[in-house]
Amino acid sequence: MSTVAPVAASSVAALPASSHPLLRGAIFPTLLRLSVPNMVAMGMAVLVAVAETYYVGRLGTTALAAMALVFPLAMLTQMMSNGAMGSGVSSAISRALGGGDKDKASALAVHAIVIGGVVGVLYSLLFVLCGAVFYRWLGGQGQVLQAATDFGSVLFSGAVLVWLCNTLASVVRGTGNMKLPSAILFGVSMVQIAIGGGLGLGLGPFPRWGMQGVALGNIVAMALAVVLLLWYLLRGQDKLQLRGHGAALSWPMFKDILRVGAFACISPVQTSLAALIFTGMVARLGPQALAGYGIGQRLEFLLIPIAFGVGVAAVPMVGMAMGAGQVQRARSVAWMGGWLAAAILAVLGLLVLIWPSAWSGIFTQDAQVLAYANLYLRTVGPVFGLFGMGLVLYFASLGAGYVRGPVLAGTVRLAVVMAGGAWLMLGGAASVHALFILVAVAMALYGVCTAWVVWRTPWQRS
């Protein structure tokens, strides 16, 4: 397979190359330069996840099992607001800037904030009011169900702040500025670790509020990030001026964001639904199996932020190139980003294959839970690279405005999970190892199918 797919001839003549550095710099160095700040920020997000799981692990196996029920829905918040809708925001703004229309980019920013606020409120209401129903569907019972409900009620009450934070960060990234949102997210992650640990375990002057205290750390951090990002955008820069006062809302502006972002939201829903199905199946094999799967699954979900570091850098590069008519450059960015993420995650997969306890041993010393977690990592680790390539090509496709193919690849993954899971459960062949093998097969298929559809889909400048 060629690393650069054939490019269809555009019916519109390419515009002259812009002076913007994303359109004239060498592709790989520029992509790497943009990716590094995101990787650093996402590395801090990994540290937050490790710290929170460590805090909850200190509260016992019941708390770990409860966190395993809530975690897929919490990650769905991030994937929808940051990876899907957020990339739709960055894509629209970068395409406008690539075409030389700063006024449109500024108007799109205002519309993006409205979308983030409205969807965030609806998301908070859904998971605060109906969270217990979802956790029960996943197999939560007794003390585990109660702990998950209490934890989720506090955590999802701040979901609107997560949506606003990621929307504002995506607006800034759409201008090609990766350093500022990464620096802000890095800083507030440190705040989250300190406050979540302090309130969760009762460290220093903090009261001991258990899992609810860990959730409050997330809310405080997101509120701080929203204030800082909004201040930066209102202060103004030469690339985009956020003018909230007197801005007229219009459907064409909403449509420019939603035609990519809304459709892209199907992909994280598919990913989380696949995880929820697996969580429900594993939950029926006992709390130790669920806790072990939760530890291993947490690393799988952390692959998404790592690939996000590369993918979110590709979005404005691809978007601006498409807006300026440089379709060949856009496709080269997509494939270089895909191979870069594949290499990074393949190394990570090799490490957990050889030393799985380096991850799972952080969170538990229960021998049975540790054995399940290590089994998961050894089974799934070898396909991390393929999964990473698929994720970055998904992000690059959002930048180009071609999201249908990668979403269909996610549909293939979900179909394999549903069909394979039903066959194992109904046929009486369900075992922890068999379910983990199914996870690996579904992840590998996602990467292969996404690469195939991007290779086969011609991109054209609108």
Side-chain angles (χ1 to χ4, degrees), residues 27-375:
I27 292 175
F28 186 76
T30 303
L31 181 62
L32 198 59
R33 176 174 56 83
L34 294 179
S35 298
V36 168
N38 296 323
M39 290 182 184
V40 172
M42 292 305 105
M44 180 54 72
V46 171
L47 185 57
V48 169
V50 171
E52 288 185 342
T53 307
Y54 173 77
Y55 300 150
V56 173
R58 295 286 296 270
L59 300 175
T61 299
T62 297
L64 269 177
M67 193 175 198
L69 294 176
V70 177
F71 186 68
L73 299 177
M75 280 305 301
L76 178 63
T77 315
Q78 288 288 346
M79 289 188 294
M80 290 185 72
S81 62
N82 211 356
M85 189 65 74
S87 292
V89 170
S90 294
S91 173
I93 290 174
S94 63
R95 281 184 279 112
L97 291 175
D101 195 341
K102 288 187 177 182
D103 289 338
K104 181 179 180 182
S106 298
L108 285 168
V110 174
H111 287 73
I113 294 170
V114 173
I115 292 172
V118 171
V119 177
V121 169
L122 294 176
Y123 199 98
S124 287
L125 289 173
L126 174 64
F127 286 101
V128 169
L129 297 177
C130 304
V133 177
F134 296 136
Y135 309 139
R136 189 177 295 109
W137 286 350
L138 294 175
Q141 299 176 2
Q143 293 181 342
V144 172
L145 175 61
Q146 186 60 51
T149 302
D150 294 342
F151 176 56
S153 294
V154 178
L155 182 68
F156 291 118
S157 67
V160 61
L161 294 172
V162 176
W163 273 88
L164 285 173
C165 170
N166 290 329
T167 299
L168 292 167
S170 297
V171 169
V172 178
R173 292 189 188 108
T175 68
N177 184 345
M178 302 291 160
K179 292 182 180 179
L180 181 102
S182 296
I184 290 177
L185 293 176
F186 185 94
V188 300
S189 294
M190 296 178 66
V191 172
Q192 182 174 345
I193 290 174
I195 294 180
L199 291 175
L201 300 179
L203 303 177
F206 294 103
R208 184 183 174 95
W209 288 348
M211 296 182 73
Q212 290 85 348
V214 175
L216 280 173
N218 175 265
I219 293 175
V220 172
M222 290 299 101
L224 178 60
V226 168
V227 171
L228 293 174
L229 286 165
L230 194 57
W231 173 83
Y232 172 77
L233 287 169
L234 288 173
R235 184 174 65 94
Q237 339 85 50
D238 58 348
K239 297 176 183 177
L240 183 148
Q241 298 289 329
L242 185 63
R243 304 183 184 91
H245 179 70
L249 301 180
S250 67
W251 170 242
M253 291 291 178
F254 285 121
K255 183 179 179 181
D256 201 9
I257 297 171
L258 294 174
R259 72 179 183 86
V260 174
F263 196 77
C265 283
I266 297 174
S267 184
V269 170
Q270 292 171 332
T271 299
S272 293
L273 184 56
L276 292 175
I277 292 172
F278 273 114
T279 300
M281 290 188 290
V282 175
R284 286 159 177 79
L285 300 179
Q288 286 78 20
L290 178 61
Y293 170 65
I295 292 172
Q297 179 204 40
R298 197 165 184 83
L299 180 60
E300 176 193 334
F301 270 109
L302 293 179
L303 300 181
I304 296 173
I306 293 172
F308 175 85
V310 180
V312 77
V315 170
M317 287 188 70
V318 170
M320 287 192 187
M322 293 295 289
Q326 300 178 13
V327 182
Q328 180 73 33
R329 179 181 176 88
R331 292 189 71 89
S332 296
V333 170
W335 286 104
M336 284 188 185
W339 285 113
L340 177 60
I344 294 172
L345 295 189
V347 171
L348 179 60
L350 179 62
L351 291 176
V352 298
L353 177 66
I354 299 173
W355 299 294
S357 294
W359 171 263
S360 55
I362 298 173
F363 310 114
T364 183
Q365 296 303 315
D366 185 308
Q368 194 170 3
V369 173
L370 195 63
Y372 284 128
N374 290 348
L375 178 62

